[in-house]
Amino acid sequence: MHRLRTCAAKLRPLTASQTVKNVSNSGAAVSRTFQQGRFYTAPVAAEPFLSGTSSNYVEEMYFAWLENPQSVHKSWDVFFRNANMGAAPGTAYQSPPPLGASLASLSQAQSMVVAQPNVDKLVEDHLAVQSLIRAYQIRGHHVAQLDPLGILDADLEASVPANLATSSNGLAFYGLDESDLDKVFHLPTTTFIGGNETALPLREIIQRMEMSYCQHIGVEFMFINDLEQCQWIRQKFETPRAMQFNNEEKRTLLARLVRSTRFEEFLQRKWSSEKRFGLEGCEVLIPALKTIIDKSSENGVENVIMGMPHRGRLNVLANVIRKELEQIFCQFDSKLEAADEGTGDVKYHLGMYHRRINRVSNKNITLSLMANPSHLEAVDPVVQGKTKAEQFYLSDTEGKQVMSILLHGDAAFAGQGIVYETFHLSDLPSYTTHGTIHVVVNNQIGFTTDPRVARSSPYPTDVARVVNAPIFHVNGDDPEAVMYVCNVAAEWRNTFHKDVVVDLVCFRRNGHNEMDEPMFTQPLMYKQIKRQKSVLKKYAEKLTSEGVVTQQEFEEEMAKYDKICEEAYTRSKDEKIMHIKHWLDSPWPGFFTLDGQPKSMTCPSTGLTEDMLNHIGNIASSVPIEDFTIHGGLTRILKGRGEMVKNRMVDWALAEYMAFGSLLNEGIHIRLSGQDVERGTFSHRHHVLHDQNVDKKTCIPMNHLWPNQAPYTVCNSSLSEYGVLGFELGFAMASPNALVLWEAQFGDFHNTAQCIIDQFISPGQAKWVRQNGIVLLLPHGMEGMGPEHSSARPERFLQMCNDDPDVVPKFTEDFVVRQLYDTNWIVVNCSTPANYFHVLRRQILLPFRKPVSAVPTRTYICSASLPLPI
């Protein structure tokens, strides 16, 4: 009998009037599942025949009917059918026809079954509505109004997906029609559009899904394979009235737009014929970045490291990093003399480091913008490496104190392979920075190239899908939508510590630079751009109409910033000398003198006592932890090392071990990275031992040398050279008191990382007064490995040493050290293990930092059979 009652209770259909009544009378939200939300009108107590001893009889009849409907009287058959169709028990009962009556009366009784709601249709309609909701979550971004110009679709596709209600046959796709629009449907647990309501008419459901996913924000997230993350995003964008800002927040947003816009206008007035790669058309980038930083600071972030291309860099330096305006303006003076050595660089490539109070969170925050060459995305892994280093030195294992923000252009984000390589590092244990916020300045054009011939993917951001990063597309002419998306992005990173992408769909008001004529190649786009109001003017009109600000207050805000710029311009005329070190993105406090020079030009001895060498050698030839089973072949290798130590001999691997170990004892962190470096390409290193019986149980003897030693990090990288070398370069920037090494699997593989070598490592000090002590290990040789691996091309490195043949150096007491200081980098061809040992130690003992390229041959590295005396 219980089954009968349950059946009747569960299948009773819910009418629209009952839904409204139940929702209005309920203080708490009712469960959203389809079955659990059912109600029946007649209480069981009102049906006496279902109580007492008769209930047992009815239950037996019910079970019999379930097995064979024809085994019970026709009246019971009608009763059970009606109950299953949703009728209350009292209504489901029909009196049997009198004896001798015609079958017409029985047919009339049976007709009640047909009159009841069609449960199959009801279920189908609810499933259809759930599918419709899911369609908006998956594909709503395709019809979002993202282009401020209204002439292109952000996904390069003009058609509306057939499974959205706004398509020509959207409802018919689900077996629905307009007559269903006013029907009420229960909402699934995978949507939050109802707020406190658990059911809504279909018309309202469609309207709310359109508001959530098809306006000025397009959300791509349904490819993420984590339910909690998907639910989090749904709640952020579907909850009714989620995107609300108070008047103070709107005024702050307007003030930031004023600064962003008027800065560019000021530069245009003063230097109309100068290249500056302005931000016009995407002025909303400045308040967007400041919103991300504000929210991150509130969440505990103390250090933000940024990388970006040249477009908008001066504006970011001025209004986000807060570089002194006069220092920026004086860069436009062609007569400015350089006070520092080197060539310097154009103003829109320079970086900056600044610590200040965040006015929203009232907390200290350090902002660093990395210098970047013209190679747009090359700085991406460099930023990630420096971020990882700062997290490492702060023991920030979850990325709660240090984070990175990367800015991209749409064409470069889609076209540059280094973007993928950098994403590919995002979740690797030794490379993760626990979430990066990517902001794409989507001008919908690349120099002169139309996006329809510049990428194969619908969006420029599709590369981010490979790491399950949510992508938030937003119309750049809706500042409030941009601010909301940036707040959500910062909260996502703080909550899940994973990458996220903000795609600012905007336009480029000028050409590629201020001197370029875009009408040659994009006439229709630029006709529309010339008619386009600035986002500042649009937003000011909006706030004025809302009564948030008056026209006079708006004009006063503009005049206030114009005055700041004019005063800074006046002060900039007094600047006669350019100090490149004032633009340094990675200062090393205390390492140099106050004017940025080495404290001496001498190098201490690189030798060690034999006792220390023996101690390191003994650890190198042992397994320092108990209950650890190593491979039999490795046992022989370690035994051989022990014999070398006893006989006062050393090979290449042991010399490296001794150099590393001694530096660790001196408090120098060492990080060795690259493809297969833990074992070594030639099976010579074996810095990580693997237990032969327990998966993932490893031992690094180097970390068991001394009680208070510095940590040693050795990590196999992904199969990437460009990305990983850039990452290690960035890691080496953070501190001079670390030895960072990148080893190529074979030396010739460095050519796939040539951009990092040519644009950062070799000229870094000359362009940006930025020293770096990274070591490149490039093994090569003619040992039957083929023509590619025969040479690491050392002649290329020698050519880039900046050795001036017309200058004869003065032979002074510090000649040897100064010769190293005056070169771009140090190229070494170590012919003995002792050479290698002293080169590694000298790299840290020098009073300055220079990159080192070591090009040993495979014969030297694999010289275990030819050890040399200590």
Side-chain angles (χ1 to χ4, degrees):
M1 197 60 234
H2 172 73
R3 292 194 180 189
L4 176 59
R5 294 173 182 171
T6 304
C7 177
K10 284 186 175 181
L11 294 179
R12 180 74 174 100
L14 184 70
T15 63
S17 60
Q18 286 174 314
T19 301
V20 175
K21 181 178 179 181
N22 286 324
V23 171
S24 62
N25 292 338
S26 175
V30 183
S31 174
R32 298 182 180 183
T33 57
F34 175 67
Q35 289 188 339
Q36 294 175 357
R38 295 296 162 216
F39 301 90
Y40 52 91
T41 54
V44 175
E47 310 298 341
F49 78 98
L50 292 179
S51 305
T53 56
S54 61
S55 63
N56 293 330
Y57 169 72
V58 176
E59 190 169 12
E60 289 176 7
M61 295 283 288
Y62 179 61
F63 288 139
W65 176 80
L66 286 175
E67 293 179 6
N68 181 9
Q70 309 226 344
S71 66
V72 299
H73 190 271
K74 201 66 181 176
S75 61
W76 280 111
D77 182 28
V78 173
F79 171 78
F80 291 134
R81 285 178 184 274
N82 288 340
N84 273 0
M85 294 301 293
T91 313
Y93 173 72
Q94 294 291 315
S95 299
L99 292 174
S102 66
L103 294 177
S105 58
L106 184 58
S107 300
Q108 184 178 2
Q110 288 177 307
S111 66
M112 180 182 175
V113 175
V114 181
Q116 292 298 320
N118 188 329
V119 173
D120 289 342
K121 172 69 167 128
L122 193 64
V123 171
E124 287 176 6
D125 287 352
H126 272 80
L127 291 175
V129 170
Q130 291 190 26
S131 298
L132 177 62
I133 290 172
R134 182 176 174 81
Y136 274 100
Q137 293 168 340
I138 295 174
R139 309 194 69 186
H141 57 86
H142 285 294
V143 294
Q145 302 165 30
L146 299 176
D147 180 17
L149 302 176
I151 57 177
L152 278 178
D153 293 281
D155 63 350
L156 308 182
E157 177 58 61
S159 63
V160 178
N163 57 346
L164 296 184
T166 48
S167 65
S168 57
N169 64 337
L171 291 178
F173 182 87
Y174 298 98
L176 301 169
D177 55 40
E178 291 193 5
S179 65
D180 295 308
L181 288 175
D182 293 317
K183 289 182 181 177
V184 176
F185 295 89
H186 270 272
L187 300 174
T189 57
T190 53
T191 186
F192 293 84
I193 58 172
N196 292 327
E197 300 173 278
T198 60
L200 290 172
L202 179 57
R203 190 187 306 278
E204 184 68 16
I205 290 173
I206 294 173
Q207 182 180 352
R208 294 193 186 189
M209 295 308 292
E210 293 272 341
M211 291 299 296
S212 297
Y213 293 109
C214 305
Q215 300 304 305
H216 288 163
I217 298 174
V219 188
E220 285 189 273
F221 70 101
M222 290 293 283
F223 52 82
I224 297 175
N225 51 24
D226 185 287
L227 177 60
E228 179 189 0
Q229 294 174 10
C230 288
Q231 286 290 79
W232 189 91
I233 293 173
R234 291 184 186 113
Q235 186 173 21
K236 291 295 181 182
F237 289 97
E238 294 181 7
T239 301
R241 298 173 296 280
M243 199 176 78
Q244 297 290 325
F245 294 91
N246 60 42
N247 288 348
E248 185 59 34
E249 291 170 329
K250 292 179 179 180
R251 283 191 287 267
T252 298
L253 174 53
L254 179 65
R256 290 174 171 178
L257 274 175
V258 166
R259 287 174 173 262
S260 176
T261 305
R262 300 300 281 183
F263 177 82
E264 298 293 352
E265 292 176 354
F266 182 84
L267 295 184
Q268 180 62 26
R269 288 198 305 272
K270 297 295 184 181
W271 298 281
S272 58
S273 59
E274 281 269 3
K275 287 183 183 179
R276 55 185 170 81
F277 295 94
L279 199 55
E280 292 95 334
C282 192
E283 294 91 345
V284 77
L285 174 67
I286 300 304
L289 291 177
K290 292 177 76 70
T291 298
I292 292 171
I293 293 169
D294 291 346
K295 178 61 70 173
S296 299
S297 178
E298 289 177 357
N299 291 331
V301 171
E302 300 172 359
N303 193 341
V304 177
I305 300 168
M306 301 169 58
M308 68 176 298
H310 42 268
R311 185 164 312 284
R313 178 176 285 258
L314 296 182
N315 207 325
V316 170
L317 284 166
N319 290 313
V320 178
I321 309 295
R322 295 294 180 85
K323 178 72 175 173
E324 298 91 338
L325 291 178
E326 54 267 31
Q327 290 290 324
I328 296 175
F329 295 159
C330 73
Q331 293 289 314
F332 289 90
D333 185 355
S334 59
K335 298 179 181 179
L336 201 64
E337 298 179 4
D340 306 289
E341 58 192 18
T343 62
D345 202 351
V346 291
K347 50 190 168 290
Y348 41 80
H349 286 175
L350 299 177
M352 175 61 186
Y353 174 96
H354 185 50
R355 185 168 178 81
R356 62 176 175 83
I357 292 286
N358 181 276
R359 294 177 181 174
V360 173
S361 65
N362 202 31
K363 298 178 181 177
N364 277 315
I365 191 163
T366 300
L367 302 175
S368 177
L369 177 63
M370 305 294 286
N372 191 34
S374 289
H375 302 64
L376 298 175
E377 300 290 339
V379 79
D380 295 357
V382 182
V383 168
Q384 301 298 64
K386 187 184 178 191
T387 303
K388 182 66 174 180
E390 298 289 359
Q391 292 173 349
F392 176 83
Y393 296 128
L394 290 172
S395 299
D396 182 16
T397 57
E398 296 181 359
K400 293 183 177 180
Q401 297 172 262
V402 185
M403 67 172 285
S404 56
I405 300 175
L406 287 176
L407 279 70
H408 313 267
D410 52 316
F413 200 61
Q416 302 268 307
I418 188 58
V419 175
Y420 173 79
E421 291 191 37
T422 304
F423 268 116
H424 192 53
L425 298 175
S426 65
D427 209 25
L428 302 183
S430 297
Y431 301 88
T432 180
T433 57
H434 308 286
T436 296
I437 299 178
H438 301 263
V439 181
V440 179
V441 177
N442 187 349
N443 293 316
Q444 305 181 84
I445 188 174
F447 204 149
T448 65
T449 304
D450 191 303
R452 290 169 290 190
V453 297
R455 65 176 188 261
S456 298
S457 58
Y459 296 101
T461 54
D462 286 339
V463 64
R465 296 166 68 105
V466 301
V467 293
N468 280 335
I471 303 166
F472 306 143
H473 308 280
V474 59
N475 188 318
D477 267 14
D478 186 344
E480 291 182 10
V482 172
M483 294 312 101
Y484 184 74
V485 159
C486 289
N487 270 316
V488 172
E491 290 178 21
W492 165 274
R493 195 264 173 194
N494 180 66
T495 302
F496 298 107
H497 299 286
K498 294 179 69 69
D499 284 28
V500 58
V501 177
V502 176
D503 179 21
L504 296 179
V505 185
C506 52
F507 58 92
R508 190 187 67 196
R509 190 169 288 277
N510 301 310
H512 178 63
N513 59 63
E514 287 68 27
M515 301 294 97
D516 193 54
E517 176 52 74
M519 290 286 284
F520 289 150
T521 51
Q522 274 76 34
L524 298 181
M525 172 184 274
Y526 276 85
K527 284 178 183 178
Q528 177 60 35
I529 288 174
K530 286 181 180 179
R531 296 191 292 266
Q532 192 82 359
K533 282 185 182 180
S534 72
V535 63
L536 174 62
K537 188 172 183 181
K538 287 181 180 180
Y539 193 57
E541 291 173 354
K542 177 179 182 293
L543 295 192
T544 303
S545 65
E546 293 176 358
V548 177
V549 297
T550 65
Q551 183 65 27
Q552 181 181 352
E553 289 172 332
F554 170 57
E555 292 174 357
E556 288 175 353
E557 187 68 32
M558 289 195 296
K560 176 183 173 182
Y561 188 70
D562 288 348
K563 182 181 178 182
I564 292 173
C565 290
E566 287 290 351
E567 292 173 349
Y569 175 70
T570 302
R571 292 193 299 272
S572 71
K573 293 181 178 179
D574 298 330
E575 298 284 344
K576 304 299 181 185
I577 298 176
M578 176 190 172
H579 296 275
I580 303 176
K581 61 176 175 285
H582 291 169
W583 298 77
L584 197 60
D585 55 23
S586 303
W588 293 338
F591 187 73
F592 298 109
T593 62
L594 292 178
D595 59 354
Q597 296 301 312
K599 292 182 178 179
S600 71
M601 273 296 170
T602 60
C603 180
S605 171
T606 55
L608 293 174
T609 65
E610 190 164 344
D611 287 344
M612 180 174 286
L613 294 176
N614 285 334
H615 172 72
I616 299 172
N618 289 332
I619 297 295
S621 57
S622 65
V623 181
I625 62 176
E626 297 179 355
D627 299 324
F628 195 94
T629 305
I630 62 174
H631 190 276
L634 188 53
T635 301
R636 291 190 295 273
I637 292 174
L638 297 185
K639 184 178 179 180
R641 281 184 187 173
E643 290 297 322
M644 282 193 290
V645 174
K646 289 179 182 178
N647 297 325
R648 304 181 74 248
M649 305 291 281
V650 64
D651 65 0
W652 191 273
L654 188 54
E656 180 182 76
Y657 217 109
M658 290 176 170
F660 285 2
S662 64
L663 292 173
L664 293 172
N665 185 43
E666 296 168 16
I668 302 300
H669 167 58
I670 298 176
R671 177 182 169 94
L672 173 61
S673 166
Q675 295 158 18
D676 312 295
V677 296
E678 295 179 5
R679 191 203 73 170
T681 300
F682 311 113
S683 195
H684 66 287
R685 183 173 287 125
H686 296 289
H687 282 189
V688 179
L689 310 181
H690 293 260
D691 192 298
Q692 298 298 294
N693 300 320
V694 183
D695 184 35
K696 297 183 179 179
K697 184 180 180 181
T698 59
C699 171
I700 303 176
M702 194 86 75
N703 280 322
H704 296 266
L705 288 167
W706 323 94
N708 298 313
Q709 68 173 74
Y712 173 54
T713 302
V714 55
C715 46
N716 291 338
S717 73
S718 66
L719 203 66
S720 156
E721 289 84 27
Y722 190 171
V724 174
L725 178 56
F727 188 96
E728 302 307 331
L729 176 73
F731 199 103
M733 286 179 186
S735 171
N737 299 314
L739 180 62
V740 180
L741 308 95
W742 174 76
E743 182 175 77
Q745 193 176 67
F746 282 95
D748 57 291
F749 285 147
H750 76 74
N751 56 19
T752 60
Q754 202 67 46
C755 180
I756 297 296
I757 294 170
D758 291 352
Q759 308 304 323
F760 288 89
I761 299 178
S762 173
Q765 184 172 349
K767 292 194 296 186
W768 306 316
V769 198
R770 184 171 69 191
Q771 295 190 20
N772 196 293
I774 191 170
V775 177
L776 278 62
L777 302 178
L778 309 173
H780 67 158
M782 297 289 290
E783 285 94 7
M785 292 291 183
E788 286 84 12
H789 301 331
S790 65
S791 175
R793 309 299 183 199
E795 65 276 10
R796 294 180 182 173
F797 291 89
L798 292 170
Q799 186 181 37
M800 297 170 68
C801 280
N802 192 29
D803 186 15
D804 192 339
D806 298 325
V807 175
V808 178
K810 295 180 181 180
F811 289 88
T812 59
E813 292 182 359
D814 59 1
F815 169 75
V816 175
V817 176
R818 186 166 292 280
Q819 189 179 36
L820 297 177
Y821 181 78
D822 289 339
T823 189
N824 284 340
W825 52 25
I826 301 168
V827 182
V828 296
N829 180 24
C830 301
S831 56
T832 69
N835 291 158
Y836 185 42
F837 170 88
H838 290 287
V839 163
L840 293 176
R841 284 190 48 77
R842 185 183 66 177
Q843 188 67 356
I844 290 298
L845 295 178
L846 283 171
F848 49 83
R849 294 291 173 261
K850 286 287 174 179
V852 165
S853 300
V855 285
T857 67
R858 182 174 179 271
T859 300
Y860 297 152
I861 294 174
C862 301
S863 60
S865 60
L866 298 170
L868 299 175
I870 292 178

